[in-house]
Amino acid sequence: MAGSPIEWADGSAVRLDRRDPYLRLQSVSIFVRDLDRSLDFYVKQLGFELVFDARSQESAGRQFVTVAPPDGTANLTLVAPERDSDQYKLIGRPSQVTFVTEDVLAKFREWSARGVRFLVNPRLRRLKYAVQPRRPATSSSPAAEHPPIWGGVFARFRDPDGNSFSLVSFDEVTHAVEAQRRAIAEKIETERRAAQELDIAKQVQARLFPQTLPPLKTLEYAGVCRQARQVGGDYYDFLDLGGERLGFVIGDISGKGIAAALLMANLQANLRSQSAIAVDQPQRLLRSVNQLFCENTTDGAFATLFFAEYDDATRRLRYANCGHLAALLLRCNDAIERLESTATVLGVFKRWDCEIGETQIFPGDILALYTDGITESFNDAGEQFGEERLAAALCRDRTLSSDDLLNTIVDKVRQFSPREQQDD
């Protein structure tokens, strides 16, 4: 063993630059008389793990088992040689194998209690060592000029066959292990806090969706959102506009995750705070929403939006489709009308305007507003669920209530695309 003790810590990391082929120590062979007895000692008394058992493979020639300490990369191969072989004569000699631990005293007490025989009790040594840092030749090395003093604790133990091993610990190894523990603990705590904050964000966003449905006399309606992640950017809302009028909103924010969820909350707040002007001036409402969305978002962020105002008394539907997927209006005779775009997306152009479309909802009609998470769900063959399948499902189950029809469509999409959900 040469060099700095800091290099004796676990160095199993793979070099990413690939300048040299990957290389590490695989195993060291130890010759023993009885594999069952030795395996019992290494596994039960020393706490090693069984890696490979070749005792049942008679065609392999020699009999051996491989064990490994709980940490590190090197294995110990226990071989039972023939009695008349040269290897058999090596049983019971010093193995020249050294195990390193962060606390020799703790291992000494643990293993002694399990019956391990120690030849040399733990001893402390203070030594100087010359560091050979892996640095460019031009850099100076104060440590090389002044060799530091480090502490090491040494002990020696024996296995049932008399093979002896060294057990050592070094200050820098202990410090390195503690540093790794702190780093892992900090990572776990960071991940725990992030998960907790994400869970809170999920609960907050869930409250942003409609909690109550304003009653209507001539229309039954329902809505649902299933995020691909904990939170997302798809958005729907029901706005009580007063005067027996209800606003239907569905939108899709660019991006996914937390960023999209924040933009979704911003868009929702803008719409709800100004919804009073929607009855008389829907274009003015949407122009204002677009302006605020432009001001409050970064370049490249945008949203598609379908906004509709339904008059419960006259069954009239006025709408603006701002770059969103065409809404499907399924008539009672199964004819389908597509409510196409009347304006471009929100958040891209500060000078923006829209046109208002108008249609009539008759008894038995179905209006479906949806995002691309429905139509762009893929099956294993790479096919999209698509608008045609959505329309066919609406026609087939049109007699269901709005809630049941909604759940049926979601179930059909999940059956069509059973793998991990990719979009809201």
Side-chain angles (χ1 to χ4, degrees), residues 37-282:
R37 182 182 63 173
S38 294
L39 185 61
D40 187 76
F41 171 78
Y42 284 96
V43 172
K44 293 185 178 180
Q45 293 184 255
L46 298 188
F48 285 19
E49 298 174 356
L50 176 62
V51 176
F52 183 73
D53 191 339
R55 288 176 293 178
S56 62
Q57 301 180 9
E58 297 180 0
S59 61
R62 63 176 187 169
Q63 300 291 294
F64 67 92
V65 295
T66 300
V67 296
D71 305 298
T73 60
N75 300 324
L76 208 61
T77 297
L78 309 178
V79 182
E82 299 293 334
R83 285 185 173 273
D84 57 352
S85 65
D86 292 336
Q87 289 85 358
Y88 194 85
K89 299 175 184 178
L90 300 177
I91 298 175
R93 297 186 179 186
S95 67
Q96 308 304 323
V97 174
T98 298
F99 296 100
V100 64
T101 179
E102 62 181 302
D103 192 339
V104 167
L105 293 177
K107 281 295 177 188
F108 172 77
R109 288 192 290 267
E110 175 190 344
W111 287 355
S112 294
R114 296 179 183 174
V116 178
R117 295 169 54 196
F118 276 85
L119 304 175
V120 177
N121 290 341
R123 297 177 180 177
L124 174 65
R125 295 182 189 175
R126 292 287 176 182
L127 301 172
K128 292 183 178 181
Y129 69 94
V131 179
Q132 297 179 0
R134 297 171 182 174
R135 302 179 184 177
T138 55
S139 63
S140 61
S141 176
E145 298 174 5
H146 304 285
I149 297 176
W150 53 275
V153 180
F154 300 79
R156 197 160 185 83
F157 67 94
R158 179 179 291 169
D159 73 0
D161 290 292
N163 300 307
S164 60
F165 305 86
S166 294
L167 180 66
V168 301
S169 68
F170 303 105
D171 291 348
E172 294 201 27
V173 171
T174 302
H175 296 160
V177 171
E178 286 302 320
Q180 289 180 9
R181 283 204 180 103
R182 286 194 299 271
I184 293 173
E186 290 173 1
K187 180 181 178 182
I188 292 174
E189 177 60 20
T190 299
E191 291 174 348
R192 185 196 66 79
R193 286 199 303 266
Q196 184 181 40
E197 291 170 0
L198 195 58
D199 187 59
I200 293 173
K202 181 180 179 180
Q203 297 176 35
V204 170
Q205 187 176 49
R207 298 294 299 176
L208 296 180
F209 290 109
Q211 303 300 305
T212 60
L213 304 184
L216 294 176
K217 298 176 182 178
T218 61
L219 193 69
E220 179 187 324
Y221 62 99
V224 68
C225 181
R226 298 281 187 265
Q227 280 99 357
R229 302 179 183 177
Q230 291 283 80
V231 292
D234 279 17
Y235 161 58
Y236 79 94
D237 210 347
F238 304 128
L239 304 175
D240 189 349
L241 305 178
E244 297 184 314
R245 296 183 183 183
L246 184 71
F248 295 100
V249 183
I250 191 166
D252 189 353
I253 310 296
S254 60
K256 292 181 176 64
I258 290 290
L262 291 173
L263 294 180
M264 174 272 219
N266 176 270
L267 179 62
Q268 184 226 42
N270 292 338
L271 275 165
R272 286 191 176 181
S273 64
Q274 302 180 78
S275 61
I277 63 176
V279 175
D280 300 319
Q281 304 176 69

